[in-house]
Amino acid sequence: MMTMHCRQRGMIALLAILLCFCGCVSKEPSANTLIKTVTMGEEKMDYLRFGKEDGEAFVILPGLALKSVMGSAEGIVSAYALLAKDYDVYLFDHIREEPDGYTISKMAEDTLAAFDRLGLRHVHLMGVSMGGMVAQSIALQAPERVSSLILCSTAMNTAHSDPAVFANWESLAKERNTSALMAAFGESVYTPSFYAQYKDVILAAGAGATERDYRNFLISLEAIRRFDAADAVQKIACPVYVLGAGEDRVLGKQAAADLVDALNCRYYIYEGYGHGVYDEAPDYLTRIASFLKGE
């Protein structure tokens, strides 16, 4: 069983970020000066910046979200306090309106354009789930920009994923069945005990989703399905840390192993955890901080 500290840490992360495929927990921001917007041509991308302003840049890329994680800005800052002590932390949202046919590669291009506008020349890059796919693409498109790469609950393609999971999410999203979508998410991503403990929070998380939210969700889901970096990922040359889960029922437990084999990199596999291990494992950010320090 988790200790009280572990449960509290998990709840903070759950309420704050839910950074995997359907990471949808959100609240209405009060006069929130944490949320900023960068404009690249006709596209707009929201982002958070917090932590040590003169520290090295640490960028977080979230996964597929029904609703923007920006609504949980204050919670995100609290959840990442450990890294914010030493790093200038950025969390980038997706562009506000995703076009038809939007790809992971184009997401990477848009994020790099945001980096350019903000003067981010060298970053430590952390990508979670779909964000990890975007992070791989950034490291391949602009290797000189990435000082280190942290890949969390992600994959080089969906070869080991369960197609039924994606098909169910797609069907429920098309039906605009928010409560069923959130239930399917919770059951697929978390361990049964964690889901049971926070079921009410998870089911309530999608409230207020708009038509634009659903459209972006479905476009991003298709981008995930089409993503395949298997022939290129071995070209990534920066230090890489892969964090996976032995019971990942979304992308498959072999997904992390494939990345490790291709990259010959440092890794840790959490046995007994599922895709949402980043919300459940109490030492998750501690491991990342140690990797960044070269420990």
Side-chain angles (χ1 to χ4, degrees), residues 63-195:
L64 174 64
L66 179 58
K67 292 167 61 180
S68 171
V69 297
M70 293 297 118
S72 297
E74 293 176 3
I76 291 170
V77 172
S78 295
Y80 280 89
L82 176 65
L83 296 177
K85 291 187 301 182
D86 298 315
Y87 297 94
D88 189 6
V89 181
Y90 292 76
L91 184 145
F92 286 92
D93 204 353
H94 313 298
I95 60 172
R96 291 182 181 176
E97 297 202 30
E98 299 180 14
D100 290 333
Y102 200 44
T103 64
I104 297 294
S105 179
K106 188 61 171 66
M107 292 178 195
E109 290 178 17
D110 287 339
T111 305
L112 281 166
F115 288 4
D116 289 340
R117 295 288 292 176
L118 297 174
L120 291 172
R121 301 303 175 196
H122 305 284
V123 305
H124 298 284
L125 185 59
M126 172 182 170
V128 181
S129 197
M130 186 181 80
M133 296 175 179
V134 178
Q136 291 171 61
S137 295
I138 288 174
L140 289 167
Q141 291 180 25
E144 73 284 357
R145 308 287 288 274
V146 183
S147 301
S148 67
L149 183 63
I150 302 163
L151 301 175
C152 308
S153 293
T154 192
M156 64 178 73
N157 55 35
T158 57
H160 302 293
S161 65
D162 182 351
V165 170
F166 293 147
N168 189 34
W169 291 354
E170 179 183 31
S171 176
L172 294 172
K174 286 181 175 178
E175 294 170 6
R176 306 302 193 254
N177 191 337
T178 307
S179 60
L181 177 59
M182 296 311 301
F185 153 69
E187 291 168 355
S188 299
V189 169
Y190 294 116
T191 57
S193 61
F194 192 87
Y195 176 61

Side-chain angles (χ1 to χ4, degrees), residues 6-281:
C6 296
R7 286 196 298 268
Q8 289 173 342
R9 187 267 174 198
M11 189 61 170
I12 289 171
L14 180 65
L15 289 172
I17 45 178
L18 282 175
L19 288 177
C20 77
F21 281 89
C22 257
C24 311
V25 169
S26 180
K27 63 181 180 182
E28 290 299 319
S30 53
N32 201 330
T33 58
L34 293 171
I35 303 172
K36 305 178 187 300
T37 302
V38 57
T39 301
M40 307 89 65
E42 297 181 355
E43 305 294 349
K44 293 183 181 295
M45 181 181 290
D46 295 327
Y47 70 98
L48 304 179
R49 183 185 181 187
F50 57 97
K52 186 177 180 181
E53 289 193 9
D54 61 348
E56 296 179 65
F58 180 83
V59 171
I60 306 162
L61 302 181
L64 174 64
L66 179 58
K67 292 167 61 180
S68 171
V69 297
M70 293 297 118
S72 297
E74 293 176 3
I76 291 170
V77 172
S78 295
Y80 280 89
L82 176 65
L83 296 177
K85 291 187 301 182
D86 298 315
Y87 297 94
D88 189 6
V89 181
Y90 292 76
L91 184 145
F92 286 92
D93 204 353
H94 313 298
I95 60 172
R96 291 182 181 176
E97 297 202 30
E98 299 180 14
D100 290 333
Y102 200 44
T103 64
I104 297 294
S105 179
K106 188 61 171 66
M107 292 178 195
E109 290 178 17
D110 287 339
T111 305
L112 281 166
F115 288 4
D116 289 340
R117 295 288 292 176
L118 297 174
L120 291 172
R121 301 303 175 196
H122 305 284
V123 305
H124 298 284
L125 185 59
M126 172 182 170
V128 181
S129 197
M130 186 181 80
M133 296 175 179
V134 178
Q136 291 171 61
S137 295
I138 288 174
L140 289 167
Q141 291 180 25
E144 73 284 357
R145 308 287 288 274
V146 183
S147 301
S148 67
L149 183 63
I150 302 163
L151 301 175
C152 308
S153 293
T154 192
M156 64 178 73
N157 55 35
T158 57
H160 302 293
S161 65
D162 182 351
V165 170
F166 293 147
N168 189 34
W169 291 354
E170 179 183 31
S171 176
L172 294 172
K174 286 181 175 178
E175 294 170 6
R176 306 302 193 254
N177 191 337
T178 307
S179 60
L181 177 59
M182 296 311 301
F185 153 69
E187 291 168 355
S188 299
V189 169
Y190 294 116
T191 57
S193 61
F194 192 87
Y195 176 61
Q197 187 173 3
Y198 299 120
K199 180 177 179 179
D200 290 344
V201 175
I202 294 169
L203 293 183
T210 66
E211 283 300 306
R212 186 177 74 177
D213 292 331
Y214 277 109
R215 184 175 182 277
N216 285 346
F217 177 86
L218 288 166
I219 290 170
S220 288
L221 183 58
E222 184 59 24
I224 291 167
R225 284 171 162 155
R226 287 181 288 152
F227 176 71
D228 192 348
D231 292 336
V233 71
Q234 68 275 7
K235 298 176 184 177
I236 294 175
C238 67
V240 182
Y241 191 24
V242 170
L243 289 163
E247 304 300 325
D248 190 329
R249 290 180 289 148
V250 178
L251 291 174
K253 62 182 181 181
Q254 187 61 32
D258 284 355
L259 280 170
V260 172
D261 288 344
L263 294 165
N264 190 27
C265 64
R266 182 172 169 181
Y267 70 96
Y268 187 83
I269 306 299
Y270 283 90
E271 298 299 339
Y273 286 89
H275 189 78
V277 59
Y278 46 82
D279 275 332
E280 296 194 50

